Amino acid sequence: MTTNPPNLRPDLAQMTLPETQARRGQPTIGMVSLGCPKALVDSERILTRLRAEGYGISPDYAGADAVIVNTCGFLDSAKAESLEAIGEALQENGKVIVTGCLGAEPEYITGVHPKVLAVTGPHQYEQVLDAVHGAVPPDPDPFVDLLPASGVSLTPRHYSYLKISEGCNHKCKFCIIPDMRGRLQSRPARAVLREAEKLVESGVKELLVISQDTSAYGTDWKDRDHKAPILPLARDLGSLGAWVRLHYVYPYPHVRELIPLMADPSNGVLPYLDIPFQHGHPEVLKRMARPAASARTLDEIAAWRSACSEITLRSTFIVGYPGETEAEFAYLLDWLDEAQLDRVGCFQYENVAGARSNDLPDQVPSEVKQARWDRFMEKAQEISEAKLAAKVGQRLPAIVDDVDADGIATCRTMADAPEIDGNLFIDEGAGTLSPGDIVTVEVDEAGEYDLWGRLTA
């Protein structure tokens, strides 16, 4: 099976299919999951439903009776990758069901791959199950096919993504996600908390909260008890005893009220915000139709750091947006210098079929986009290297992700989300550690994106 390469999407999650022992005659399904963590959660839900119906999960094409490809349609390059994955699955297996964001354009898929069995859109779980039933009828054995209480997870056992809502109410000109996934639909808080409790009970040590717009959670409810329901939800999640990491947070004013939770380690909400700023120049943000202003954002960043000096800020940006001038790009570099963000990713702008930004004048040549991307990442690297160097000598809590055969542990600090940020490596005395352990490490070396350290008592 294939996964999305790290150089394509800075917010993707790596998929690892769980190992299962198929019984004789058990129907089996394979899964290729592309794109962001929100799509990964959809894949987990589909596989959990299939396991509950008696299907086995195959980690390869040869062992699967059919394959589901959960696609990404955010960028044209991601669409091309999805089509390539569908083609590979057809060649290797023959029975392919397509779902996910690109599934919102069924004619686009069937025009290239007419032999797919079915195409469904994002979070259309019932339609996916119907397609699987048609291709591979279920044959459950109630005495053998037992489903773990936590469901099927495609991430390591010690952390899990927790999706709290679907859709988005913003109308950013470069984005077609609202067209594919619809308007904001928040999950009931009791359902989110119940899922989180089950995950923690099953051994999950870190909950990664995701959505299209996490800080807008619950604002689609007409009769809500709280003006900003993300605040009580974060507080309740933090009480469960696991690390809670917030992703895709827009810098609304009420985000300031989250920061005191992060400043107190006993609350469980990590001092970490993943905020998609996208640019720093106000005119570029205006052309993007982004719900933010760069000057006010710098004020917010200062306020957050004043309330929580340990906070880690990560973001993604777009360079080469239509009409971006050299002066606007230089402003972005200066903005980044002032913002001093800890973790930064960057896209080169791409036209995406259906996006309003395609029609904007003054499209930026590809060689200019590449040059600006190089300059942006060089600046971001300088900031990252300096910030990490300042951590040498500090003692930091870290969660263990992996211990290899040589006893070298790959860990993450509170400042590092899995797959998208850096790592902390322990190369001595880590042989007895296990994934999910939370340890204290004294940092003795720093690089551009990673740290090295040793265990402390």
Side-chain angles (χ1 to χ4, degrees):
M1 298 294 176
T2 60
T3 57
N4 216 2
N7 62 352
L8 190 64
R9 294 290 301 276
D11 61 343
L12 62 90
Q14 183 175 359
M15 183 187 79
T16 303
L17 284 172
E19 296 182 6
T20 59
Q21 184 74 33
R23 58 176 169 79
R24 182 187 294 272
Q26 184 179 28
T28 57
I29 302 296
M31 171 71 80
V32 179
S33 190
L34 304 172
C36 66
K38 294 178 286 294
L40 191 78
V41 172
D42 289 342
S43 296
E44 290 177 338
R45 289 179 177 174
I46 291 168
L47 291 179
T48 295
R49 292 283 298 274
L50 291 173
R51 284 284 287 113
E53 294 183 353
Y55 289 91
I57 301 171
S58 174
D60 53 54
Y61 294 115
D65 294 310
V67 175
I68 301 170
V69 180
N70 192 358
T71 58
C72 178
F74 183 62
L75 301 172
D76 283 352
S77 55
K79 289 183 177 182
E81 185 197 15
S82 293
L83 291 177
E84 182 180 351
I86 295 167
E88 179 182 303
L90 283 169
Q91 180 178 346
E92 298 295 330
N93 182 276
K95 290 186 175 182
V96 177
I97 296 160
V98 179
T99 189
C101 287
L102 192 56
E105 304 177 55
E107 295 83 4
Y108 181 81
I109 295 170
T110 56
V112 179
H113 297 299
K115 293 185 179 181
V116 296
L117 300 179
V119 179
T120 72
H123 53 265
Q124 292 183 344
Y125 309 123
E126 298 301 330
Q127 291 90 328
V128 176
L129 293 174
D130 289 344
V132 171
H133 296 160
V136 186
D139 185 20
D141 184 335
F143 297 101
V144 176
D145 299 328
L146 300 177
L147 181 68
S150 61
V152 175
S153 177
L154 301 180
T155 54
R157 293 174 60 89
H158 61 282
Y159 68 80
S160 182
Y161 292 99
L162 181 67
K163 185 159 63 171
I164 62 173
S165 65
E166 277 289 0
C168 181
N169 289 346
H170 298 304
K171 297 181 179 179
C172 304
K173 289 186 177 181
F174 58 83
C175 185
I176 59 173
I177 293 297
D179 295 330
M180 294 187 291
R181 290 185 172 263
R183 292 180 60 79
L184 177 67
Q185 290 184 310
S186 301
R187 296 178 61 197
R190 62 182 181 278
V192 174
L193 287 170
R194 183 169 178 269
E195 180 181 351
E197 289 168 352
K198 291 171 63 178
L199 289 169
V200 174
E201 288 170 1
S202 70
V204 167
K205 300 293 184 64
E206 181 178 8
L207 297 169
L208 300 119
V209 178
I210 58 171
S211 65
Q212 295 298 142
D213 183 355
T214 295
S215 40
Y217 171 78
T219 58
D220 54 319
W221 301 335
K222 292 182 179 180
D223 300 319
R224 58 182 186 270
D225 296 330
H226 201 288
K227 182 178 179 180
I230 186 60
L231 301 175
L233 178 66
R235 188 178 299 110
D236 290 342
L237 290 173
S239 70
L240 299 180
W243 285 8
V244 176
R245 190 181 300 275
L246 300 179
H247 287 276
Y248 311 115
V249 178
Y250 281 77
Y252 304 136
H254 68 253
V255 170
R256 284 196 188 192
E257 298 178 54
L258 282 169
I259 310 305
L261 287 176
M262 299 178 176
D264 183 351
S266 67
N267 288 323
V269 182
L270 298 184
Y272 180 101
L273 280 179
D274 174 14
I275 302 178
F277 290 126
Q278 306 299 11
H279 211 278
H281 197 284
E283 290 303 314
V284 178
L285 291 168
K286 185 176 180 180
R287 292 198 297 273
M288 288 179 170
R290 291 290 291 170
S294 61
R296 290 201 302 272
T297 297
L298 288 172
D299 291 341
E300 287 300 303
I301 290 173
W304 300 336
R305 286 181 170 147
S306 176
C308 180
S309 60
E310 300 300 315
I311 195 167
T312 295
L313 301 178
R314 95 166 311 275
S315 189
T316 52
F317 292 82
I318 296 173
V319 295
Y321 190 77
E324 183 189 59
T325 65
E326 177 60 30
E328 289 171 339
F329 175 70
Y331 182 102
L332 171 60
L333 293 183
D334 291 341
W335 188 94
L336 192 63
D337 244 343
E338 186 170 353
Q340 288 288 301
L341 302 180
D342 303 87
R343 304 294 194 189
V344 172
C346 185
F347 294 104
Q348 295 180 45
Y349 171 80
E350 292 182 24
N351 280 330
V352 178
R356 293 179 295 155
S357 56
N358 298 354
D359 300 325
L360 292 175
D362 302 319
Q363 298 277 325
V364 178
S366 58
E367 62 271 16
V368 175
K369 287 190 284 189
Q370 180 64 51
R372 289 178 181 173
W373 185 89
D374 291 338
R375 291 163 61 193
F376 181 94
M377 292 308 297
E378 182 179 0
K379 172 65 68 178
Q381 181 177 304
E382 290 174 3
I383 295 171
S384 174
E385 191 171 10
K387 282 181 167 286
L388 292 182
K391 295 186 178 183
V392 173
Q394 294 185 18
R395 293 189 174 191
L396 303 175
I399 189 167
V400 179
D401 280 342
D402 181 66
V403 181
D404 66 18
D406 297 323
I408 297 175
T410 301
C411 314
R412 289 177 293 106
T413 71
M414 291 182 176
D416 304 301
E419 303 296 334
I420 58 176
D421 293 330
N423 293 112
L424 188 159
F425 298 99
I426 306 171
D427 50 19
E428 292 184 9
T432 60
L433 298 180
S434 300
D437 288 346
I438 296 178
V439 296
T440 301
V441 182
E442 182 170 335
V443 179
D444 52 29
E445 187 179 346
E448 296 165 348
Y449 300 108
D450 300 311
L451 299 170
W452 286 261
R454 55 187 176 84
L455 286 171
T456 63

